[in-house]
Amino acid sequence: MNDVPRPGNDGARSAQRVPAGSRGPEQAYPDPPRSWTRAGILIGTWVAAWAGVLVFGLGLQAMAQGQDNDRLPLNGQAASRQLFHEMFLEKDLETAAKYLCDTYSGLPLETVQKKYMDWEAQNGRTGVTVSVNQVTPQEYEISIDYGPDNAVVIERFTTITQPREPDDCIDDLFEREQADTDVPSPDESPDAPEVSGREAIEGYFNRIFEDQDLEQAEVFQCDGYTGASASDLLEIFTSHEHEGAGSTLYSLSTNATGTTSSTDEHSVVISLDDDKHTFKVIVDASTPKRCISSVVPL
């Protein structure tokens, strides 16, 4: 026999070839090579994602602020209306004070509001109507009425405004007239106190836009009434698109444009927030019981 030892018989295991496809898990899926470029891409992607979130949030905030900045500046009439709206409807004297000039020298707002607050404490909450009528470019007459139809309380004030950026402000406020006044309906007895054309107009439109009471509004119409119906006028209010919190800010202003022995003609502006609607209104002035004979949108 040949005593030449075979390779591998010396007790040492010789290297074995591993067939293709038979590698272990740690050999079949080797770790990717370490790379600063790949790490930079991952970090950049993470930073970009968070930057996008931040930019989106800032964009939403800018849009919201932009909507506030798009609000039309308030002229003297709108500032006066808003002042009384905050005092009598919202009862927010702190917000109302923002419409006063730094040089304001008028009545304290608590004094202006006190009569209504005392009335409400005794009689309960009721509808309040704020009407603003321009007298001069800086002077406005404000009428506040509240209470039941048979005993309407009317308070009258005058505001003096000054220009200010972005909104005009109230520089003075004083009582023009203040009295409890019963506003009679046109169908009351002939010896009822005389009703002015302006009072008839305010009574008619307030019943529609403030109370939304068509039955009571039609009491102010003459028998031969023509023009926009009370329901047509109410549709203006119900279709108004109010934005923001709180109730729709309604106000009315009248301006006499012509008078004859039998009629009073007025230009009436109804404001719903910043939307304005103008009407030509004819009042029958032939009897003390004024009635509305025609309302025509302009």
Side-chain angles (χ1 to χ4, degrees), residues 201-218:
I201 290 171
E202 290 178 352
Y204 180 62
F205 282 98
N206 290 347
R207 297 304 176 274
I208 296 173
F209 288 93
E210 183 72 20
D211 303 332
Q212 300 182 35
D213 189 336
L214 297 183
E215 183 177 352
Q216 287 296 319
E218 290 170 352

Side-chain angles (χ1 to χ4, degrees), residues 54-75:
L54 178 61
V55 170
F56 181 73
L58 293 176
L60 290 179
Q61 183 178 0
M63 288 175 61
Q65 184 175 2
Q67 291 177 350
D68 292 339
N69 293 336
D70 288 341
R71 179 182 65 82
L72 294 175
L74 301 179
N75 58 20

Side-chain angles (χ1 to χ4, degrees), residues 73-74 162-169:
L74 301 179
Q162 295 292 341
R164 182 182 69 177
E165 293 295 337
D167 301 322
D168 288 358
C169 61

